[in-house]
Amino acid sequence: TEMSFSTLTEANWDSWFSIWWKVSELSSTAMEILTRTINIINRCTNLYRDTQLDDTSLSGCQVPYILRICRQPGQTQEELAQGLHVHKSSVARKLAALETNGWITRTPCAQDRRALRVYPTPKAEAVIPQLHQMLTEWSDYLTASLSPQEADTLLALLNRVADRAEAWATERGQD
């Protein structure tokens, strides 16, 4: 017979709870593995970027900032923080280093003098082709053991998971 909450008795409750607990542990463990795996890929990606950018004053963790600023010049620091899903204080520190090294400029926003708009310098725009090539080479390296279909499936699944994570952050005003 099919078991549901309405048909539970004290005799089968222990069995039901044991099954639920195992599923719960599996789910928790799967999320820990997913998070750990994504973190490993991210850390190794930053190490790879660092080695590829040795001849510049850019670090691996600054690459997403440069790409987003060049893609959307004039966005505010707050918009950049939301787009990258990082804290505003982290953005301020990263931008200060990028500005010091001549990669970006920041100007006060006309509508809100407290806000700063961020623009790429010609130096930042000139490095974009190198960044795209570097990212393509790294992606090719990571997916070399996958078939094209497996790589597409992996990307589609990761995008679905990322969409859910972004939806959670947006619902809570933490984007």
Side-chain angles (χ1 to χ4, degrees), residues 34-159:
L34 176 66
T35 302
R36 183 176 60 86
T37 303
I38 290 171
N39 284 333
I40 289 169
I41 294 167
N42 184 55
R43 285 191 297 272
C44 291
T45 297
N46 281 335
L47 290 172
Y48 173 79
R49 290 173 181 170
D50 284 344
T51 63
Q52 297 300 305
L53 296 169
D54 254 353
D55 60 337
T56 73
S57 60
L58 280 177
S59 69
C61 61
Q62 292 172 326
V63 170
Y65 290 82
I66 292 294
L67 291 173
R68 190 161 195 95
I69 292 165
C70 286
R71 194 177 316 121
Q72 297 174 315
Q75 65 190 301
T76 65
Q77 286 186 193
E78 186 168 339
E79 291 166 340
L80 185 60
Q82 289 172 347
L84 294 174
H85 305 289
V86 294
H87 291 280
K88 290 184 244 179
S89 59
S90 296
V91 169
R93 284 191 300 274
K94 291 275 192 277
L95 293 181
L98 289 170
E99 191 171 34
T100 297
N101 289 313
W103 294 101
I104 60 132
T105 59
R106 294 185 282 182
T107 59
C109 178
Q111 296 82 12
D112 180 357
R113 297 305 254 172
R114 296 169 297 166
L116 294 173
R117 295 213 175 270
V118 185
Y119 296 93
T121 62
K123 179 180 177 179
E125 291 169 345
V127 80
I128 292 298
Q130 179 185 351
L131 297 181
H132 284 298
Q133 179 181 349
M134 175 187 66
L135 295 173
T136 299
E137 289 171 0
W138 181 241
S139 178
D140 290 347
Y141 174 81
L142 290 179
T143 58
S145 65
L146 303 177
S147 71
Q149 183 180 359
E150 288 172 325
D152 290 345
T153 300
L154 175 64
L155 184 58
L157 292 172
L158 287 173
N159 279 328

